[in-house]
Amino acid sequence: MTVICFGDSNTYGYDPRSYLGGRYGPEHRWVDKLAAKTGWNVSNWGENGREIPGVPPSFPADTQLLIVMLGTNELLQGRGPDETAERMERFLAGAGLPRERLLLVAPVPMAPGEWVPEPRLASASAALAGRYRALADRLGIRFADAGNWGVRLAYDGVHFTEDGHQAFAAGLFQVLSRP
């Protein structure tokens, strides 16, 4: 199976201890763990700081599954859950892939930390899952809520720890194993 994981720094595998954009090794990143467990051809299209693009990139026609996890950076930039979900709807509508090939993942909610000094950010990120679930239902695409997978966040309240990547990979694998 050919899979693209399209997301932000948590998809990229950013290591918050690096400060210069460094990333965890492949043995820790959830994308690489998914590839190792499944044997699939999994491409990491994660990028630090990525927000939901106004125009989706051209995904290869042979993409059998597009996993999209974005929205945290919108919230960090002051957008609310409703506006973020609207941006996601436009993105998914323009992705150019059949609905059965799309999986929308609600990001792990932020927690108080160095990058999350205000409680409103944590509550807005927790609210995003409900907006994304409703969006996925409306569009007829698959949905997963990473907030239910026990993903540990680093001191900054945003980025996954190494253990967090392991928990994320395990939760995603369970979702993908369901018919």
Side-chain angles (χ1 to χ4, degrees), residues 7 12 71 81 132 140 169 177:
Y12 174 76
Y132 277 8
S177 296

Side-chain angles (χ1 to χ4, degrees), residues 21-70:
R23 63 200 301 207
Y24 294 120
E27 70 278 9
H28 297 293
R29 297 188 298 251
W30 69 262
V31 173
D32 296 290
K33 288 182 166 295
L34 179 65
K37 182 148 180 102
T38 61
W40 297 340
N41 177 16
V42 181
S43 298
N44 188 334
W45 287 28
E47 184 178 289
N48 290 339
R50 174 177 277 146
E51 294 182 31
I52 301 165
V55 176
S58 293
F59 296 109
D62 67 346
T63 303
Q64 294 172 289
L65 179 63
L66 175 64
I67 300 171
V68 178
M69 183 175 68
L70 287 167

Side-chain angles (χ1 to χ4, degrees), residues 150-169:
V151 176
R152 291 186 49 216
L153 298 177
Y155 68 92
D156 60 12
V158 173
H159 295 102
F160 301 172
T161 62
E162 291 171 339
D163 289 343
H165 276 272
Q166 173 66 36
F168 187 95

Side-chain angles (χ1 to χ4, degrees), residues 80-99:
D82 290 330
E83 183 181 355
T84 300
E86 289 169 10
R87 290 171 64 106
M88 181 59 76
E89 183 168 10
R90 287 190 297 273
F91 173 81
L92 293 170
L97 294 171
R99 291 179 180 177

